[in-house]
Amino acid sequence: MLKIGDFARIARVTVKTLRHYACEGLLEPVYIDRYSGYRYYTIDQLPTLNRILALKDLGFSLAQIRQLLRETLTAEELRGMLRMKQIELRQTVECESERLQRVEERLQMIDREGSVSVSEILFCRGGDAAGKHTQKETGMEPVRFETLPAFKVMGMKYRGDNANQEIAQMWGVLNPRAHEIPMTGECAYGVCLMLPGESTGVFEYIAGFKVEEYDHVPEGMMVIDVPENRYAVFAHRGSLETLKDTYAAICDDWFPRAGYKPAGGYDMEVYTDEFRSFSPDSVFYIYEPVK
Amino acid sequence: MLKIGDFARIARVTVKTLRHYACEGLLEPVYIDRYSGYRYYTIDQLPTLNRILALKDLGFSLAQIRQLLRETLTAEELRGMLRMKQIELRQTVECESERLQRVEERLQMIDREGSVSVSEILFCRGGDAAGKHTQKETGMEPVRFETLPAFKVMGMKYRGDNANQEIAQMWGVLNPRAHEIPMTGECAYGVCLMLPGESTGVFEYIAGFKVEEYDHVPEGMMVIDVPENRYAVFAHRGSLETLKDTYAAICDDWFPRAGYKPAGGYDMEVYTDEFRSFSPDSVFYIYEPVK
DNA sequence: CTTGACTCTCCCCCTGGGGGATATAGTATA
DNA sequence: TATACTATATCCCCCAGGGGGAGAGTCAAG
């Protein structure tokens, strides 16, 4: 029978940790004095503690370790947990590696360009930053980078080159029917896919709303899966007529200047304003997939 | 002037986030109504918010972002912060990659060996796990893996093969002088370096205590820097005479069985017991660097 | 019996907000 | 203007894994 301090010294952990594990039901003392409340351990509990620490070393949470400590644990269950952890760790490593890469790109940019504005450093990635187009000159708000998880959009599809404002008309048709869509969130999404191999300017455009669960797809509508992606986000303020200019600025000015390349995936327009009418002060966003 | 909900919609962040940033001093509303407490923002604050989000995307904490948002920030300071972040992210990536590797090794072991005990899976890495040496047969407690940060040990050095128990004698000399060492923590460390190229069994052994800061090194003592390392930890219970057997079990049995190789670095013995006298029930630890 | 070392419980702290309760404020409609 | 609905405010608890410390009680040696 060891007092908590002795057991902690022997086990090379802190007293706080032992108390915490006891409280979490991971390692109960073999005996607790009813009168004093003192916790008593035995040396036989050391292997259990070591098992806890080994599992923690593999990245499991205390709640998961509680599951893994059960007597009835089979090798199959352990494998399942390890598989999950493997996937999780791969994502973590990938995510942090990409973040590291972004930091290193910013550092290289500073070393290469010398003194540039913080804004330039944050929102461009490389290329010829000496071409001093500020975002105000091109009519864009400073961009943002955002990684969106996968989601679904329900709405109506158009295919063509939008020569006669068919897309605006489609929104006009869709909006009165918006109540048919079990939307989550308050944004309207225009998901746009340029069609390679087609004549210039032909694209598919799905106008719709984000959904999570749905019973059926209303007549004339469809659902599209938008995969997880990282986007450069541009703000467009003003009417839809100047949208073309903003796109031109993004593609011809920002993309080559920043050294990013458009990645595969869907372009998106995200309307956060009152999406039933576009006032001249409307702000909405253009999401361009980047890698 | 926008109410918080409007600004949140336009900026594509949650109201909670804006309130949190206001509370943390990152983005104050331009105006707060004295009577109602309502926060009001302007569209001009959008670039600042985007800057905050860009910095968060690079991995900075809100406190660091508060520093980085100052008007007086120079490119040099930004570079310094990015450098720090770079180092930190590299460590994170490395650490998580190693963890991922450990998880994958365990998975491979399960696939290869089929059904083995959880203990085997946790504490071995591969090799011939069918050679059923349990740890009890070899007199070892189940091992643990531990990554120790770099630290310093102050104490006395011996060099030789310990044929006449010189090390125990050295501890006998050191212990009465232990008060001269500004030790932190309660462990005594025996830091051991096998000398390659010397005749067999000759090694350097520093007996001492962990220190953090010190004014001077007492007569006859020295300080050794122990670098950060990952160790396999073995428990030795009993007298010092059987220590040799434990070492033999580790090197001849566990290391080949587990598929680990001794890594460069220092072997260590860590005494957590009353280190002034070794009773037969003393438990202490052998730390073997592994990779 | 005293004293010092040990242990107990309880509370606050860390990150970056999310979720919810409850009380007003503002706005739109009848 | 009364009502109803939405928006906002503050306040509190929650996540993980303990660390640090206060105040009070316990244990063991001299």
Side-chain angles (χ1 to χ4, degrees):
Chain A
M1 298 278 276
L2 300 159
K3 285 199 291 187
I4 194 169
D6 300 322
F7 190 56
R9 243 187 311 280
I10 289 175
R12 307 264 302 146
V13 295
T14 68
V15 170
K16 282 279 188 188
T17 301
L18 287 178
R19 275 202 277 256
H20 190 54
Y21 290 173
C23 187
E24 295 291 315
L26 291 180
L27 184 68
E28 312 274 3
V30 290
Y31 169 68
I32 298 182
D33 189 289
R34 264 178 245 287
Y35 176 57
S36 69
Y38 276 29
R39 298 169 177 87
Y40 291 93
Y41 297 82
T42 68
I43 198 73
D44 298 333
Q45 298 185 279
L46 202 43
T48 303
L49 178 59
N50 284 330
R51 196 177 284 197
I52 292 171
L53 297 176
L55 289 167
K56 207 156 69 65
D57 186 54
L58 292 178
F60 290 104
S61 72
L62 297 192
Q64 292 171 320
I65 293 173
R66 195 187 302 121
Q67 298 296 111
L68 288 164
L69 282 181
R70 290 183 344 231
E71 281 298 317
T72 58
L73 184 76
T74 66
E76 199 51 45
E77 287 171 313
L78 177 58
R79 173 154 66 179
M81 297 286 273
L82 286 171
R83 280 264 167 80
M84 278 178 46
K85 204 69 208 171
Q86 181 189 30
I87 293 169
E88 196 181 316
L89 284 169
R90 275 188 184 154
Q91 279 186 354
T92 304
V93 168
E94 187 187 1
C95 180
E96 293 303 299
S97 296
E98 286 172 0
R99 175 168 285 168
L100 173 60
Q101 196 180 339
R102 295 199 289 272
V103 168
E104 286 176 342
E105 280 160 2
R106 300 303 189 286
L107 275 168
Q108 286 171 17
M109 186 172 166
I110 294 178
D111 290 343
R112 197 174 50 232
E113 307 288 338
S115 179
V116 288
S117 77
V118 175
S119 204
E120 290 270 343
I121 291 167
L122 289 181
F123 295 112
C124 295
R125 192 169 75 165
D128 177 20
K132 289 286 185 194
H133 299 259
T134 70
Q135 276 113 1
K136 281 199 174 155
E137 288 174 25
T138 62
M140 287 183 281
E141 293 291 312
V143 300
R144 172 194 305 178
F145 294 98
E146 205 173 334
T147 301
L148 293 187
F151 64 101
K152 295 175 195 296
V153 170
M154 180 184 288
M156 301 173 73
K157 184 160 95 174
Y158 165 78
R159 179 176 183 154
D161 62 358
N162 196 32
N164 301 312
Q165 304 291 322
E166 287 93 345
I167 287 176
Q169 291 174 29
M170 188 168 66
W171 279 109
V173 174
L174 179 67
N175 280 330
R177 295 186 58 193
H179 64 276
E180 298 176 37
I181 299 176
M183 66 182 80
T184 56
E186 301 154 349
C187 300
Y189 288 84
V191 181
C192 184
L193 183 62
M194 289 295 166
L195 295 177
E198 303 255 356
S199 56
T200 314
V202 173
F203 54 90
E204 283 186 355
Y205 185 99
I206 292 95
F209 301 92
K210 190 167 164 183
V211 292
E212 280 169 7
E213 295 180 357
Y214 51 93
D215 300 329
H216 71 290
V217 180
E219 180 71 25
M221 297 200 193
M222 58 168 296
V223 173
I224 187 171
D225 277 293
V226 181
E228 180 185 324
N229 222 324
R230 184 170 172 80
Y231 298 91
V233 185
F234 300 84
H236 176 84
R237 205 189 316 183
S239 71
L240 286 175
E241 275 94 54
T242 62
L243 181 56
K244 194 169 270 195
D245 302 333
T246 300
Y247 268 114
I250 292 169
C251 295
D252 302 338
D253 174 51
W254 186 81
F255 264 111
R257 180 159 50 92
Y260 277 100
K261 293 214 183 313
Y266 298 107
D267 283 22
M268 289 195 299
E269 294 164 14
V270 180
Y271 304 90
T272 63
D273 220 32
E274 271 307 314
F275 34 78
R276 276 157 186 72
S277 67
F278 299 106
S279 78
D281 283 342
S282 292
V283 174
F284 64 90
Y285 290 96
I286 296 165
Y287 278 62
E288 289 283 342
V290 293
K291 194 60 185 170
Chain B
M1 297 276 275
L2 300 159
K3 286 199 294 186
I4 194 170
D6 300 322
F7 191 55
R9 243 187 312 278
I10 289 175
R12 305 263 304 146
V13 295
T14 68
V15 171
K16 282 280 189 187
T17 301
L18 287 177
R19 274 202 277 255
H20 189 54
Y21 290 173
C23 187
E24 294 292 315
L26 290 180
L27 184 69
E28 313 273 4
V30 289
Y31 169 68
I32 298 182
D33 188 289
R34 263 178 248 286
Y35 175 59
S36 68
Y38 276 28
R39 298 170 177 86
Y40 292 92
Y41 297 82
T42 67
I43 198 73
D44 299 334
Q45 298 186 278
L46 202 44
T48 304
L49 178 59
N50 284 330
R51 197 177 283 197
I52 292 171
L53 297 177
L55 290 167
K56 206 157 70 65
D57 187 55
L58 292 178
F60 291 104
S61 71
L62 297 191
Q64 291 171 320
I65 293 173
R66 195 187 302 119
Q67 298 296 111
L68 287 164
L69 282 181
R70 290 183 344 234
E71 280 298 316
T72 59
L73 183 75
T74 66
E76 199 52 45
E77 287 171 313
L78 177 58
R79 173 153 68 179
M81 298 286 273
L82 286 171
R83 281 263 166 80
M84 279 178 46
K85 204 69 208 170
Q86 180 188 31
I87 292 169
E88 197 181 316
L89 284 170
R90 276 187 183 155
Q91 280 186 354
T92 303
V93 168
E94 187 185 1
C95 182
E96 294 302 300
S97 297
E98 287 171 0
R99 175 167 286 169
L100 174 60
Q101 197 180 339
R102 295 199 289 273
V103 168
E104 287 177 341
E105 280 158 2
R106 300 303 189 286
L107 274 169
Q108 285 170 17
M109 186 172 165
I110 293 179
D111 290 342
R112 198 173 49 231
E113 308 286 340
S115 178
V116 290
S117 76
V118 176
S119 204
E120 291 270 343
I121 291 168
L122 289 180
F123 295 112
C124 294
R125 191 170 73 164
D128 178 21
K132 289 285 184 194
H133 299 258
T134 70
Q135 277 115 359
K136 282 200 172 156
E137 288 173 26
T138 63
M140 287 183 282
E141 292 292 312
V143 301
R144 173 193 306 176
F145 295 96
E146 205 172 333
T147 301
L148 293 186
F151 64 102
K152 295 175 194 294
V153 170
M154 179 184 288
M156 301 173 73
K157 183 159 96 173
Y158 165 78
R159 178 177 184 154
D161 61 0
N162 196 34
N164 302 312
Q165 303 292 322
E166 287 95 343
I167 287 176
Q169 291 175 29
M170 187 167 66
W171 278 109
V173 174
L174 180 67
N175 280 330
R177 295 185 59 192
H179 65 276
E180 299 176 36
I181 298 176
M183 67 182 79
T184 56
E186 303 153 349
C187 300
Y189 287 83
V191 181
C192 185
L193 183 62
M194 290 294 166
L195 295 176
E198 302 257 354
S199 54
T200 314
V202 172
F203 53 90
E204 283 187 356
Y205 184 99
I206 291 95
F209 301 91
K210 190 167 162 183
V211 292
E212 278 169 8
E213 296 181 356
Y214 51 92
D215 300 331
H216 71 290
V217 180
E219 180 72 24
M221 296 199 194
M222 59 167 296
V223 173
I224 186 171
D225 277 294
V226 181
E228 179 186 324
N229 222 324
R230 183 170 172 79
Y231 297 92
V233 186
F234 299 85
H236 176 84
R237 204 191 315 185
S239 72
L240 286 175
E241 275 95 52
T242 62
L243 180 57
K244 194 169 270 195
D245 302 332
T246 300
Y247 268 114
I250 292 169
C251 296
D252 301 338
D253 173 53
W254 186 81
F255 263 111
R257 180 159 50 92
Y260 276 101
K261 296 215 182 311
Y266 298 108
D267 283 21
M268 289 196 299
E269 294 163 14
V270 181
Y271 304 91
T272 62
D273 220 29
E274 272 305 316
F275 34 77
R276 278 157 186 69
S277 66
F278 299 106
S279 79
D281 283 342
S282 292
V283 174
F284 64 89
Y285 290 95
I286 296 166
Y287 278 62
E288 289 284 343
V290 292
K291 195 59 186 171

